[in-house]
Amino acid sequence: MSDNAGLQPFPDDWDRALAVVAHPDDMEYGASSAVARWTSEGRDIAYLLVTEGEAGIASMGPGVVGPLRRAEQAASCARVGVSTLEFLDHPDGLVQADLRLRRDLAAAIRRHKPHVLLSINFRPSWGGPSWNHADHRNVGSALLDAVRDASNPWLFTDIDDGAWDGAHRVAFGSSPLATHFVELDDDHLAAGVESLRCHEVYLSELGDDGMSDPAEFLVTNAHEAGRLAGVERAVTFEIIEL
């Protein structure tokens, strides 16, 4: 039986979400198609990026890449109906799941007051013999801790916004331990594809690695997730309840 067998529909008892990821393009490898569906339903979704992805292009210096990737992410957000995009100043490739990151994430949670947190796979593997990026692993781990930190009025008392106890669910896209799915229609999937295509310079540097063609990669994955979920097209998430 597949690890993804027995998927459940993503809960719909929420209005606001905050997506927290390490790099520009992290949300766009699948999860942004779900975001397109949610914003079309009137849900409010904000993005918080821990880094600018400034170390993500080997042939270009961080001083050039950081602003470029910020601009690509802003264009990508617009494609899926997201108007609020914020960046932290943690170093790309060197993100630590430390108190500084937990404080920054708790502050964002208290400020945005989401009902759901979104991110991408933080497990060691993507499935099979693979190894996940350290930034992804550390952001996911810190995010789970920060949700609880944000709800505790006796932690990070120097943050002006009061404690927020309204978020108890963190959903990780692209997880090998998926538990839930979001059904997609043609428009949602198309918006997700366009959101990934907005990372034009970054994608051009990937080369022929099987993921540089947004349409092929996302459409194939959406149909495979749909097969597992019993629908035509879907994107999957691992939901952790806190």
Side-chain angles (χ1 to χ4, degrees):
M1 179 179 293
S2 167
D3 289 343
N4 289 334
L7 295 170
Q8 300 297 312
F10 199 103
D12 63 1
D13 56 342
W14 58 276
D15 297 316
R16 293 188 306 277
L18 176 64
V20 178
V21 291
H23 316 111
D25 91 322
D26 281 351
M27 285 294 292
E28 282 67 63
Y29 279 98
S32 64
S33 294
V35 171
R37 171 178 169 170
W38 291 326
T39 58
S40 73
E41 295 170 344
R43 302 181 199 270
D44 181 18
I45 301 180
Y47 278 28
L48 177 71
L49 274 67
V50 173
T51 81
E52 293 184 332
E54 69 276 5
I57 299 179
S59 63
M60 300 171 65
V64 174
V65 173
L68 184 154
R69 298 198 72 191
R70 285 178 69 112
E72 290 188 336
Q73 185 62 58
S76 179
C77 285
R79 293 287 187 174
V80 293
V82 172
S83 59
T84 300
L85 169 62
E86 300 174 358
F87 289 84
L88 300 177
D89 61 352
H90 292 253
D92 183 20
L94 301 174
V95 175
Q96 297 292 315
D98 55 14
L99 286 178
R100 179 190 170 208
L101 180 56
R102 282 172 54 186
R103 183 191 182 282
D104 286 348
L105 298 185
I109 292 167
R110 289 178 180 179
R111 184 170 65 255
H112 289 283
K113 296 178 170 51
H115 305 122
V116 176
L117 279 300
L118 307 171
S119 193
I120 65 165
N121 178 34
F122 75 107
R123 300 296 184 179
S125 171
W126 294 100
S130 61
W131 187 243
N132 198 356
H133 195 294
D135 288 355
H136 301 159
R137 292 183 278 122
N138 288 332
V139 167
S141 177
L143 180 60
L144 290 168
D145 291 332
V147 171
R148 286 180 171 163
D149 295 339
S151 71
N152 190 331
W154 307 116
L155 297 180
F156 303 126
T157 56
D158 57 322
I159 298 174
D160 290 338
D161 300 279
W164 173 247
D165 192 34
H168 300 280
R169 180 181 297 144
V170 185
F172 295 93
S174 303
S175 171
L177 302 177
T179 57
H180 291 74
F181 72 92
V182 177
E183 186 174 3
L184 306 174
D185 67 16
D186 286 337
D187 289 342
H188 307 142
L189 183 54
V193 170
E194 289 305 310
S195 74
L196 181 53
R197 281 189 171 139
C198 287
H199 298 277
E200 180 179 3
V201 177
Y202 178 73
L203 289 173
S204 72
E205 294 293 319
L206 291 181
D208 187 18
D209 66 353
M211 293 199 302
S212 56
D213 182 340
E216 179 181 359
F217 179 78
L218 293 179
V219 170
T220 298
N221 281 5
H223 282 284
E224 174 59 17
R227 183 186 66 79
L228 294 169
V231 298
E232 185 173 353
R233 295 168 298 266
V235 61
T236 62
F237 293 86
E238 176 188 2
I239 291 182
I240 296 178
E241 301 279 355
L242 298 169

